[in-house]
Amino acid sequence: MADFQYYTPTRVAFGRGGPEKTGALAKQAGAHKVLLHYGGGSAVRSGVLARVEASLRAAGIEVVTLGGAVPNPRLSLVREGIALCLREGVDLLVAVGGGSTIDSAKAMAYGAAEPDKDVWELYEHTRRPAACLPLGAVVTIAAAGSEMSDSSVITKDEGGVKRGCNSDLCRPRFAVMDPELTLTLPAYQTACGCTDIMMHTMERYFVSGPTMQLTDALAEGLLRTVMANARVLQDDPQNYDARAEVLWASSLSHNGLTGCGITQSDFACHGLEHELGGRYDIAHGAGLAAVWGSWARYVYRDCLPRFAQFAVRVMGVPDAGGAQATALRGIETLESFFRSIGMPTSLRELGITPTEADLDALARGCALAAGGKKGSARVLYEADMRAIYAMAR
Ligand code: NZQ
Ligand code: ZN
């Protein structure tokens, strides 16, 4: 196993009545004036936003609100939020929503903490963040895991350039995780979320180099649990316990726990998806499902023992007469699972029919964002990325 550091500074308040806990948590984080950030309106319609605001005010905290974060959150709104934070003297941001809203708040928190600098430089990787306002999250969808992650992903409006910035500075001070808040999710968003949760662990599982038995056991258990409960939620979307299982999995899958003891995670599928998300504005989880099978078939020979182990321990595939056949059976079985929960397994099913020139542009953008190469199961260069996009058509 490899040496590692594990850093999770986020206080988690898990369970029913979450919105009412927000005021005390914000107070504990030292807040006097909060920017309450939300998305396209689901939190207004469900009443969650009003409950959070009431809790903050009851704790004696002033509140300014800003809605409008969209899936693949935009830089233009981030800039608006930074200006609002500075004008109002905000000292804590609270995001009510999913990865998009939390990431948008993280970018605002970076920008407001270093107001003389352009926040986009952090996402272009021409500068590292030196400061970030504190933030908290009230999670309404089990998916991205941004409530405990070090990551924030923003899309620049012009040209649809989607880029991520990773730093411990943006890890939320607290996360309110109330499974009841996720009961209003449409089936498609539930499935997208479960796919993304699985992918965050799989990006740390399909690696070359040393691994760790305990981490493997945690990862495999998490993946089996998410699949089982994604199936339950298809037929019974109001099932509180199933919602709770996937909600907690969303945090554990992306807070570093399922990556302890490995040298380097893979995250090639995320790189491939981010390029698609920026250009075609698709749901993140669906984009991951659409490329995963093609990526897996392209790289599995370079990471054969891991793919064979995954097939047996996670997908429940019996030994198919050798590692290669078993690994391939595992890939097919996961693709079948994705289809069974309504996820696409090709770009066409995602509604994208890229031309040859589009494939060139996607691969160029993906390679550029990654600094030329990406991956651990197999290191991918621009030509490899293009080949995978072409396979995924
Ligand atoms: O905007 P509203 O109206 O709230 O609607 C949202 C949105 O349309 C809706 N929704 C959320 N909670 C709901 C609900 N609808 C009904 N009831 C509820 N309780 O769901 C839709 C998707 O929301 P979004 O926040 O976009 O979902 P998700 O959490 O999947 O976030 C996706 C974004 O996170 C990034 C992705 O790239 C994408 O931009 N990621 C962020 C990561 C991170 N910061 O660590 C890691 C991920 O790998 C990912 O890249
Ligand atoms: Zn993801």
Side-chain angles (χ1 to χ4, degrees):
M1 61 165 279
D3 297 347
F4 62 89
Q5 288 196 14
Y6 180 55
Y7 178 61
T8 54
T10 307
R11 179 183 298 279
V12 173
F14 199 97
R16 293 182 172 89
E20 285 67 35
K21 298 170 187 166
T22 315
L25 289 164
K27 194 93 190 153
Q28 201 175 3
H32 298 94
K33 192 166 197 174
V34 158
L35 175 67
L36 187 56
H37 190 37
Y38 61 99
S42 73
V44 177
R45 288 190 295 280
S46 64
V48 174
L49 191 75
R51 289 170 64 193
V52 171
E53 182 170 353
S55 173
L56 290 166
R57 291 196 189 281
I61 297 168
E62 287 183 72
V63 180
V64 287
T65 54
L66 178 65
V70 292
N72 301 312
R74 305 297 198 270
L75 179 61
S76 52
L77 187 68
V78 168
R79 295 200 193 285
E80 203 182 307
I82 293 168
L84 187 59
C85 285
L86 295 172
R87 204 164 57 238
E88 294 284 346
V90 161
D91 53 14
L92 179 91
L93 291 89
V94 173
V96 181
S100 297
T101 305
I102 302 169
D103 286 4
S104 182
K106 286 178 172 179
M108 291 171 191
Y110 279 135
E114 295 190 89
D116 299 333
K117 297 185 173 142
D118 181 6
V119 71
W120 185 245
E121 291 169 359
L122 303 178
Y123 295 83
E124 282 183 316
H125 304 155
T126 53
R127 172 170 73 84
R128 289 288 299 154
C132 185
L133 288 190
L135 67 140
V138 180
V139 186
T140 64
I141 171 172
S146 185
E147 64 277 0
M148 288 184 87
S149 84
D150 68 349
S151 171
S152 151
V153 188
I154 297 296
T155 297
K156 191 177 190 183
D157 308 55
E158 311 82 42
V161 182
K162 182 172 174 176
R163 295 286 183 270
C165 171
N166 290 62
S167 141
D168 281 333
L169 293 171
C170 79
R171 288 189 195 265
R173 295 287 176 90
F174 62 86
V176 172
M177 304 183 65
D178 177 347
E180 284 189 345
L181 306 188
T182 68
L183 294 174
T184 50
L185 276 168
Y188 183 72
Q189 291 299 341
T190 301
C192 285
C194 288
T195 303
D196 192 23
I197 296 167
M198 291 181 68
M199 284 300 310
H200 291 154
T201 285
M202 287 156 60
E203 298 274 30
R204 295 167 165 96
Y205 189 90
F206 295 114
V207 292
S208 56
T211 54
M212 196 180 172
Q213 279 181 26
L214 178 56
T215 298
D216 276 2
L218 291 168
E220 290 155 1
L222 184 145
L223 292 168
R224 288 192 301 265
T225 304
V226 173
M227 282 194 293
N229 286 284
R231 288 192 186 100
V232 170
L233 289 171
Q234 273 205 295
D235 299 329
D236 186 10
Q238 298 301 308
N239 188 310
Y240 177 91
D241 288 337
R243 291 283 182 195
E245 297 283 353
V246 297
L247 184 58
W248 189 219
S250 77
S251 296
L252 297 188
S253 195
H254 204 31
N255 75 358
L257 181 67
T258 59
C260 293
I262 63 167
T263 309
Q264 195 203 335
S265 54
D266 189 89
F267 276 87
C269 288
H270 269 74
L272 293 163
E273 189 291 319
H274 283 176
E275 218 43 41
L276 293 167
R279 281 165 197 270
Y280 301 102
D281 205 16
I282 49 157
H284 174 62
L288 291 169
V291 296
W292 184 80
S294 299
W295 167 84
R297 285 190 181 80
Y298 194 82
V299 309
Y300 80 96
R301 288 182 201 81
D302 297 270
C303 195
L304 197 52
R306 302 294 289 169
F307 274 90
Q309 178 175 308
F310 172 83
V312 173
R313 294 194 193 167
V314 180
M315 301 315 301
V317 166
D319 191 314
Q324 188 153 328
T326 306
L328 276 172
R329 191 72 61 78
I331 293 169
E332 284 159 17
T333 312
L334 181 52
E335 283 191 311
S336 300
F337 167 76
F338 283 150
R339 282 191 286 270
S340 78
I341 60 169
M343 286 290 98
T345 52
S346 69
L347 297 183
R348 186 175 40 76
E349 289 169 50
L350 198 54
I352 299 173
T353 48
T355 62
E356 296 297 321
D358 291 334
L359 294 178
D360 291 341
L362 283 165
R364 201 177 316 121
C366 187
L368 191 70
K373 60 180 182 177
K374 195 158 183 93
S376 170
R378 170 174 170 176
V379 178
L380 304 177
Y381 297 87
E382 186 175 329
D384 303 302
M385 296 165 186
R386 194 191 188 286
I388 294 170
Y389 282 127
M391 282 169 72
R393 272 193 286 191

